[in-house]
Amino acid sequence: MATNILMPALSPTMTEGTLSRWLKKEGDTVKSGDLIAEIETDKATMEVEAVDEGILGRIVVPEGSEGVKVNSPIAILVEEGEAVPDAVESAPAQKAAPAPETASQTAVQSAPAQVSAAPAQPQAAPVAASHGKRVFASPLARRIAAQKGIDLAALKGSGPNGRILRRDVENAKPVEAPATVTAGGSAPAEARRVPNSSMRKVIARRLSESKQNVPHFYVSVDIELDALLALRGQLNAASPSEGEGQFKISVNDMMIKAVALALRDCPGLNVQFTEAETLHFPDIDISMAVSIPDGLITPIIRQADRKTLREISEQARDLAKRARDGKLKPEEFQGGTFSISNMGMFGVREFAAIINPPQAGILAIAAGEKRAVVRGDQLAVATVMTATLSVDHRAVDGALGAKWLNALRDIVQNPYRLVI
């Protein structure tokens, strides 16, 4: 009996996505658990598993299609020897594997859906290049080309009939836009128009909502890092120089653990505010901001206060790499009870971060630098970092924010607790 394969919801807030790539082709046998497609959301690109078994009879939505609505048919699954219908009107729809973010989240509805027949290998819409030549490219390739400033007419497509695909654009180099010149001399180059990606739109919306709806207040403190840096040097010196046991601890790894311990000491910041109640969480799950090519994502170190520095280091590196590759699972970046944003590697002296709702706080970590400090009546030189806490004033009062920052400073300046 023919069934619909529907566009899955890979997160609770997802309403549409891009079908980046089919991992099966028409006529292929599909078994439960097989990876059938890659779906691109505003956060990452994820692989979708099949639930039912059968033959992939018809691909309804081609590769590169953007704005595909959740629960809309993307393909038709048939039984062995069954004719492929133009549409499935009443057969139950196949489910994609649900994303494990929450127990109540459902990847695909099982209600029947109307399916419009579509060619398995449709031609992409032509695009007019700056010099008038018409080229054929997938929608995803067009979007990436616009973001990178690449002239599609200058590329040779590797798809059917020379169609330009995503890989063709990703392997190409951007071309600088020529400056326009007037009779009076040179003029500024015309602005290159880059369409906002789904991720950039979501970031803009969420951060605007945060600043508009969440009453932020900010508390800053200077923290001496010399003891922490000395401990880091000892730990890394004790690590094997090569082989399976090798690991290197970063300052960011140590700050994640320190923040988690401070939240254990002052659990009043490990909360979320709602209109009816304030949620206090038993686990301390630290969201760490990771910059990716078109935005920002916050993979999570779960139960960070209970992990060793080595466990945090290994997990943080793995999550950051897969975040940049777009391979995070929804449960790896959705949730979290407190956030960290570290810009120390850019030499930033001080900054304030915007709260990541529904969390109640985020810590902005700046660069450590040599500064003059007063100890008793004497001047000394120390490596000092400015840390700024942004807090939701609806859930946390100023005195508690200051108390938490003092607890963090005490842990960092006396870092023995990070290793016991």
Side-chain angles (χ1 to χ4, degrees):
M1 183 179 186
T3 57
N4 291 332
I5 301 177
L6 304 183
M7 183 68 168
L10 299 176
S11 73
T13 58
M14 177 179 169
T15 59
E16 61 181 36
T18 297
L19 204 158
S20 301
R21 185 161 68 104
W22 280 103
L23 304 178
K24 295 283 188 179
K25 61 181 183 296
E26 290 186 356
D28 283 355
T29 299
V30 176
K31 297 181 179 179
S32 178
D34 283 356
L35 299 177
I36 57 175
E38 288 183 355
I39 304 296
E40 180 183 348
T41 70
D42 59 289
K43 293 291 187 182
T45 299
M46 286 165 276
E47 295 170 330
V48 178
E49 293 183 359
V51 174
D52 295 333
E53 299 185 352
I55 305 296
L56 187 59
R58 184 186 301 279
I59 291 177
V60 176
V61 176
E63 289 185 353
S65 296
E66 300 176 348
V68 183
K69 300 295 184 182
V70 167
N71 296 333
S72 63
I74 59 175
I76 300 175
L77 196 69
V78 298
E79 296 179 357
E80 183 73 36
E82 181 183 8
V84 182
D86 290 338
V88 180
E89 298 182 0
S90 59
Q94 182 195 8
K95 293 183 180 179
E101 208 271 323
T102 61
S104 62
Q105 177 185 343
T106 304
V108 183
Q109 297 290 337
S110 59
Q114 185 74 24
V115 182
S116 299
Q121 192 66 50
Q123 293 294 325
V127 180
S130 58
H131 46 72
K133 179 182 177 182
R134 295 171 68 84
V135 296
F136 287 87
S138 70
L140 185 58
R142 293 201 301 272
R143 192 185 77 181
I144 296 174
Q147 293 171 353
K148 297 179 68 173
I150 293 173
D151 185 355
L152 288 173
L155 302 184
K156 181 179 180 181
S158 60
N161 301 317
R163 181 176 183 237
I164 297 173
L165 304 178
R166 174 181 181 176
R167 60 176 176 266
D168 302 319
V169 180
E170 290 179 335
N171 293 331
K173 295 182 179 180
V175 179
E176 295 296 330
T180 57
V181 181
T182 64
S186 61
E190 183 181 355
R192 179 168 58 87
R193 301 176 185 271
V194 179
N196 291 328
S197 66
S198 299
M199 174 177 285
R200 181 54 56 190
K201 291 176 182 177
V202 170
I203 290 173
R205 174 176 54 81
R206 284 179 53 83
L207 294 187
S208 295
E209 291 172 353
S210 178
K211 288 294 285 185
Q212 291 169 1
N213 300 327
V214 178
H216 288 56
F217 76 86
Y218 308 94
V219 186
S220 296
V221 68
D222 291 337
I223 303 175
E224 295 185 20
L225 296 178
D226 297 285
L228 182 139
L229 294 175
L231 175 61
R232 174 177 175 259
Q234 294 171 3
L235 293 173
N236 287 339
S239 171
S241 58
E242 59 183 19
E244 185 176 343
Q246 181 187 22
F247 69 97
K248 295 296 180 184
I249 301 296
S250 70
V251 172
N252 195 63
D253 300 330
M254 302 180 84
M255 288 303 301
I256 290 174
K257 181 65 179 283
V259 166
L261 293 177
L263 287 170
R264 183 196 290 176
D265 292 345
C266 298
L269 265 77
N270 198 48
V271 299
Q272 293 179 4
F273 178 85
T274 71
E275 293 300 326
E277 57 192 0
T278 300
L279 307 177
H280 294 255
F281 294 97
D283 288 338
I284 297 172
D285 300 332
I286 303 298
S287 302
M288 57 176 193
V290 175
S291 177
I292 58 178
D294 195 37
L296 190 75
I297 195 168
T298 52
I300 302 167
I301 306 291
R302 303 282 181 185
Q303 299 180 340
D305 59 318
R306 305 180 193 178
K307 286 184 165 61
T308 66
L309 285 173
R310 178 170 182 172
E311 290 172 335
I312 290 174
S313 177
E314 292 173 344
Q315 189 172 352
R317 281 160 177 72
D318 173 64
L319 288 170
K321 181 181 184 303
R322 289 192 289 113
R324 296 185 182 100
D325 293 340
K327 297 298 183 183
L328 289 179
K329 300 175 182 177
E331 67 270 19
E332 292 177 320
F333 61 83
Q334 293 175 353
T337 59
F338 189 92
S339 290
I340 293 177
S341 179
N342 188 345
M343 296 182 69
M345 67 288 295
F346 300 112
V348 174
R349 181 182 177 89
E350 183 177 354
F351 73 104
I354 299 176
I355 294 170
N356 181 23
Q359 297 173 10
I362 181 170
L363 183 71
I365 301 172
E369 59 182 5
K370 295 292 184 181
R371 299 184 198 172
V373 297
V374 178
R375 292 177 180 157
D377 293 330
Q378 302 294 320
L379 280 176
V381 176
T383 304
V384 179
M385 171 192 74
T386 299
T388 300
L389 174 67
S390 304
V391 186
D392 183 347
H393 214 330
R394 298 172 303 175
V396 180
D397 294 326
L400 180 57
K403 179 182 177 182
W404 183 86
L405 266 184
N406 284 328
L408 175 69
R409 178 170 56 187
D410 182 67
I411 293 169
V412 174
Q413 294 185 172
N414 302 278
Y416 65 91
R417 284 185 61 189
L418 301 180
V419 293
I420 61 174

